[in-house]
Amino acid sequence: MKQWILLICLVLISVPALAGQQRLYIYNWTEYMPDEVLTAFQEKTGIKVIYATYDSNESMYAKVKLTRGKGYDVVFPSTYFVHKMRKEGLLSPIDHEALSNFKHLDPALMDQPYDPGNKYSIPYVWGSTALAYNNNQVAPEMMTSWKDLWRPEFKNRLVMNDDLREVLGIGLIVNGFSVNETDPDRIHAAYESIRTLMPNIRVFSGDSPKQPLLNLEAFAGMIWNGEAYMAAQEFPAIQYAYPEEGAIFWVDSMVIPTGAENKKQAHAFIDFILDPQIALQVCEYIGYAPANQSAIALMPEEIKNNPTIFPDPEEVKKGEFQTDVGDAILVYERYWERLKTGM
Amino acid sequence: MNERQGFKFIAVFLNMAWFAVFVLVPGLMVVGISFMTRDTGTFFSPPLTLTQYRELLDPVYAKVLGASLIYSLNTTLLCLCISYPFAWILSRVSKHRRPLLLMMVIIPFWTSSLIRTYALVILMKANGIINTLLSAAGIISEPVTLLYTDFAVYVGLVYSLLPFMILPLYAVMEKMDLRLLEAARDLGANTCQVFVHVVLPLSLPGVLAGCIMVFLPAMGLFYVPDLLGGAKTMLMGNFIKNQFLTAMNWPFGSAASVFLLLLMGLMIIIYFTFSRRFNRHQAL
C-alpha cells in the first residue's frame, strides 16, 4: 500500500505542472486540517493542493529524510522534530516578509529553544500532555502531581500514551530532571521509577488515549489536552489537570523542507493558515489551541476560558517543551524495551 | 511460440517481475542493511559488521521473541482445537448446506481485520455490549474485566485466523474416503481407535498446512495485542518498528527481520519435509 502511494506520488511529481497549473504538496497529520480550508485555499489562489497524511513524527521524518523533503512543500513536525530537522539541514528558511498575517501569531509561542527566532518554523497549533481522570472514581485532590499516578488506588487503572519519550519523561520529572535529559544515569533513574509504576498501568494507548477513559477501563492517566477536551464533550466526568511539577508542552509547526519545489506557493499557504478566520476554523475542527492570538480574540467565551484548551500562562511557564535528545534516544529505547518485557 | 505459450510466458514473467521488484529486492536490501552500522545522517553506513547480530543475543530480545512465539503457538493450538470438530461437521453435512456454512466462515473476512478488532473492543469494554447484557440480566454487579487482558488478545487472534485453519482441514476431510472408516469399524476398532489410527493420520496434511497458515501470520498481527492487550508486552513486530522509526537503528531492525525470516523459512522447510515424507508413505 505504502509503495503504491509512493509510486503514485512519484508519477505525479514526474509529470511537471500539467497545463502550467501551480501545485502545492502538503504532508500533515491525519485529521489535522478540515477539507473546507484546503478548498478555500484552492479557490482563493488557484493553486492545486495535493494532500498526504502521516500518523507519527517518526514516519514523517523517515520519508522527508530519505528524499531530502523533495516532493513535499509544507510539513507539520512537532517541537523536537523541528529541532532535529533544522539541525540536520532538512528545513528551508521561511521569509517572514512574505507572510502578511505573521503579526497575528502569539508571541508567547515564538522564539522557543527548538527554533530561535522562528527562522525555519511557523507555529500551527499547540497543546499539552498532562493528567486526566474520571471524577466519578477519582477526587480532584488525588490528581495534582505526576507522583499521584503511583497511588496504590490506581492499581491496573491507568492509561498512558504509547510514547517512550513521554512515559520516561514522567519518570524524569518525578526525579526532578528535565524531560530532555541525555545523561544515561538520569534516564536509568527514570526507568527505575516507571518500573514501579507498571502495575498501575492498564493500557498503553497508541491511537486515542481518551478511549480507555470513556470505556471505563481506566480511571486516570496521561492524555493530550485535545483528546481530554473531546472526551469531556462526550462524557463530562473526564477532567484534565495540570500537575504541580508542570506539564509537557508541544507545538506543531509548519515548515518547508529543503527539497521543496514550490516554496513560493508554500509561503502563500502558510500565510493563508495564519489568517485569523481560517485559524479559528481549524481550531473548531481539531480541538487544539491555535498559535494565533487574533483567532483567539474571535472565539466564544466558553472556549476561550476553557482551561483544557487554554491553560493559565503560569502553567505554561512551569511546563517544559520537548527537544531533540540526539543519540540518547537509543538509551531511551533500551529502557523502553526493558519496561515492556518486564525486566 | 503459439498463442497459448505466449500467454503463459507473459503471465509467469509478470509474476516473477512483480516478486523480484517488490519482494526480492527489498528483502535483499534488508539483508544488506543488517550488516551495516547505524548512522543518524544516512540511516546506515558502510563499515560492515556483525555487531547487530551479536546484540540480538541480549536476553531482552529473547524475551521479545519468546512472547511472540508463545502468543503464536497458543493461538495455533486454540484454532486447531476449535477448527477440527467444526471442519469435520462441515465435511459431513449434506452437500447443499455446505456452501452456506462455508460462506459464514468467509463473509466476516470481507471486512478489514483492523475494523473487526475495533469491533471486539466495543463488545468487551467495561461499558460494552457483553457487560451491559450481563448486568441487565442480573448476573454481575461489577463489570467483568475482559479488555486489555491476555484473554482478549487470544479472542482477537483466534477470531482473525480461524478460517486459515478451517479451510485446509475441510479440504482434506472432504476428500477422505469414508469406506476406510467403515473398514476400520468392521475390523473391530472403536470410535477412539478409528480416530487415532485412521482419521487423524489422513487429516495430518491439513493439520500441518493449517498450523503453518495460522502460526506465521500470528507473529505479524502485532496490532491485535496492542489494541486488545493494552500494548504492555513488546512483540517482534513492535520491536522492529521501533528500531526503524524511533531509535532510527535500521541495521538492528534489519538484523531482527532477517532472524525472523530465517526462523519462518526453517518452519516452512520442516513442513515440506514432513508432507513429502507423508505423501511417500501414503503412496506405498
Side-chain angles (χ1 to χ4, degrees):
Chain A
M1 191 60 194
K2 283 233 171 84
Q3 286 102 317
W4 271 110
I5 295 170
L6 205 70
L7 195 72
I8 292 165
C9 288
L10 284 173
V11 170
L12 286 173
I13 295 159
S14 60
V15 182
L18 286 164
Q21 191 184 26
Q22 298 191 69
R23 277 157 190 268
L24 178 71
Y25 294 85
I26 297 173
Y27 195 30
N28 198 355
W29 294 83
T30 29
E31 288 219 69
Y32 221 39
M33 186 170 282
D35 288 341
E36 296 79 41
V37 167
L38 298 175
T39 323
F41 175 72
Q42 298 196 67
E43 274 166 15
K44 190 181 165 207
T45 59
I47 300 170
K48 185 162 172 49
V49 172
I50 294 107
Y51 194 75
T53 60
Y54 54 88
D55 58 5
S56 74
N57 276 309
E58 285 85 2
S59 52
M60 172 276 300
Y61 169 82
K63 258 196 200 164
V64 171
K65 176 102 186 173
L66 280 176
T67 59
R68 299 244 115 210
K70 207 170 151 69
Y72 299 119
D73 300 317
V74 182
V75 187
F76 294 71
S78 306
T79 333
Y80 66 102
F81 272 83
V82 172
H83 183 63
K84 185 179 180 66
M85 291 164 85
R86 178 174 63 87
K87 273 196 307 189
E88 293 173 13
L90 292 172
L91 303 183
S92 152
I94 292 175
D95 180 8
H96 296 179
E97 298 297 313
L99 304 173
S100 62
N101 290 319
F102 189 79
K103 56 181 183 286
H104 297 303
L105 283 162
D106 183 353
L109 294 167
M110 307 292 286
D111 198 23
Q112 291 291 329
Y114 64 86
D115 182 20
N118 285 84
K119 274 175 78 180
Y120 298 92
S121 68
I122 300 294
Y124 174 57
V125 296
W126 64 285
S128 55
T129 309
L131 299 164
Y133 60 93
N134 178 334
N135 70 8
N136 293 339
Q137 266 94 14
V138 181
E141 58 274 15
M142 286 170 73
M143 267 289 164
T144 57
S145 151
W146 287 117
K147 292 194 181 98
D148 285 323
L149 293 174
W150 273 261
R151 283 174 180 271
E153 301 94 298
F154 293 149
K155 189 164 165 47
N156 209 17
R157 281 298 173 202
L158 297 181
V159 53
M160 306 292 277
N161 289 340
D162 199 10
D163 180 303
L164 59 108
R165 282 288 310 272
E166 287 194 323
V167 172
L168 285 165
I170 292 175
L172 288 164
I173 292 172
V174 297
N175 278 290
F177 306 136
S178 153
V179 291
N180 302 313
E181 208 56 71
T182 54
D183 176 357
D185 291 338
R186 292 182 169 185
I187 302 170
H188 179 82
Y191 153 75
E192 288 292 351
S193 301
I194 297 297
R195 203 157 70 130
T196 60
L197 182 65
M198 289 303 273
N200 280 9
I201 299 174
R202 183 71 195 280
V203 47
F204 286 103
S205 177
D207 52 349
S208 175
K210 68 176 182 292
Q211 287 306 335
L213 289 164
L214 291 174
N215 293 348
L216 307 179
E217 295 287 349
F219 297 159
M222 72 188 296
I223 198 170
W224 303 302
N225 61 334
E227 284 272 303
Y229 174 75
M230 284 186 259
Q233 290 194 317
E234 210 173 307
F235 183 36
I238 309 288
Q239 304 287 315
Y240 189 66
Y242 295 93
E244 59 193 29
E245 299 93 337
I248 304 169
F249 286 92
W250 41 264
V251 181
D252 285 344
S253 297
M254 296 179 276
V255 303
I256 304 175
T258 324
E261 282 163 342
N262 308 299
K263 288 187 179 152
K264 211 177 115 240
Q265 290 82 344
H267 277 88
F269 181 77
I270 293 172
D271 197 36
F272 182 78
I273 294 298
L274 293 181
D275 181 310
Q277 282 296 343
I278 299 295
L280 179 64
Q281 209 179 332
V282 169
C283 171
E284 279 172 349
Y285 176 77
I286 64 174
Y288 286 103
N292 192 314
Q293 51 184 3
S294 312
I296 296 167
L298 300 173
M299 282 179 179
E301 287 297 314
E302 83 254 26
I303 292 189
K304 221 189 299 185
N305 297 329
N306 186 321
T308 302
I309 306 182
F310 296 105
D312 195 35
E314 279 303 305
E315 295 292 351
V316 185
K317 215 173 280 171
K318 262 198 296 184
E320 208 176 353
F321 282 89
Q322 284 184 335
T323 57
D324 181 29
V325 292
D327 276 352
I329 192 71
L330 291 178
V331 183
Y332 281 89
E333 174 66 32
R334 263 289 153 98
Y335 285 124
W336 185 243
E337 283 158 7
R338 280 184 163 63
L339 283 173
K340 286 227 179 166
T341 45
M343 291 177 88
Chain B
M1 207 192 306
N2 64 33
E3 205 174 296
R4 196 141 159 218
Q5 266 177 327
F7 173 74
K8 217 192 239 168
F9 176 77
I10 289 171
V12 170
F13 176 78
L14 276 180
N15 268 311
M16 298 299 278
W18 177 269
F19 275 108
V21 174
F22 293 109
V23 180
L24 189 64
V25 172
L28 288 176
M29 281 163 77
V30 169
V31 174
I33 293 169
S34 73
F35 293 105
M36 302 237 186
T37 314
R38 177 182 185 262
D39 186 321
T40 40
T42 52
F43 292 121
F44 50 88
S45 61
L48 291 180
T49 160
L50 284 171
T51 329
Q52 317 303 342
Y53 288 94
R54 212 173 304 132
E55 277 197 29
L56 273 181
L57 299 176
D58 188 312
V60 177
Y61 307 122
K63 276 197 112 170
V64 173
L65 180 69
S68 305
L69 287 175
I70 286 169
Y71 272 127
S72 299
L73 202 67
N74 288 341
T75 305
T76 312
L77 290 176
L78 284 169
C79 278
L80 186 62
C81 293
I82 298 168
S83 305
Y84 203 91
F86 182 80
W88 181 256
I89 295 165
L90 193 59
S91 65
R92 293 296 158 254
V93 295
S94 67
K95 274 227 161 74
H96 63 269
R97 278 207 202 133
R98 262 184 242 171
L100 180 76
L101 288 171
L102 271 175
M103 281 300 267
M104 283 164 73
V105 173
I106 294 162
I107 284 177
F109 293 82
W110 293 353
T111 319
S112 141
S113 75
L114 193 60
I115 290 170
R116 280 181 287 122
T117 307
Y118 275 108
L120 288 177
V121 172
I122 294 170
L123 269 178
M124 291 194 278
K125 62 188 186 181
N127 54 359
I129 297 168
I130 294 176
N131 273 310
T132 316
L133 284 178
L134 286 179
S135 66
I139 299 167
I140 51 164
S141 52
E142 283 285 299
V144 201
T145 304
L146 298 169
L147 200 56
Y148 309 129
T149 59
D150 267 356
F151 169 76
V153 175
Y154 285 120
V155 169
L157 285 172
V158 169
Y159 173 55
S160 293
L161 297 166
L162 205 55
F164 297 102
M165 186 64 91
I166 293 177
L167 295 176
L169 282 175
Y170 169 73
V172 290
M173 287 176 179
E174 199 212 1
K175 277 185 292 186
M176 208 178 275
D177 189 346
L178 290 180
R179 287 172 306 177
L180 293 172
L181 274 67
E182 283 162 21
R185 255 193 215 105
D186 289 345
L187 293 168
N190 61 30
T191 315
C192 189
Q193 284 168 319
V194 172
F195 178 76
V196 173
H197 295 290
V198 183
V199 178
L200 195 61
L202 283 176
S203 62
L204 209 56
V207 172
L208 270 176
C211 287
I212 290 273
M213 282 172 77
V214 170
F215 188 86
L216 298 186
M219 295 283 285
L221 286 180
F222 64 92
Y223 59 85
V224 174
D226 272 7
L227 288 175
L228 299 175
K232 278 170 290 185
T233 353
M234 186 172 282
L235 303 176
M236 283 308 275
N238 312 99
F239 167 68
I240 292 171
K241 181 185 143 220
N242 279 359
Q243 287 305 326
F244 273 93
L245 293 179
T246 316
M248 277 169 245
N249 197 346
W250 285 32
F252 196 32
S254 301
S257 308
V258 171
F259 177 73
L260 208 57
L261 213 64
L262 290 175
L263 194 75
M264 295 192 172
L266 191 74
M267 275 188 273
I268 290 175
I269 290 171
I270 293 173
Y271 165 67
F272 275 118
T273 325
F274 260 98
S275 58
R276 202 175 303 142
R277 199 171 294 168
F278 180 83
N279 287 340
R280 206 181 303 145
H281 188 76
Q282 215 175 24
L284 284 175

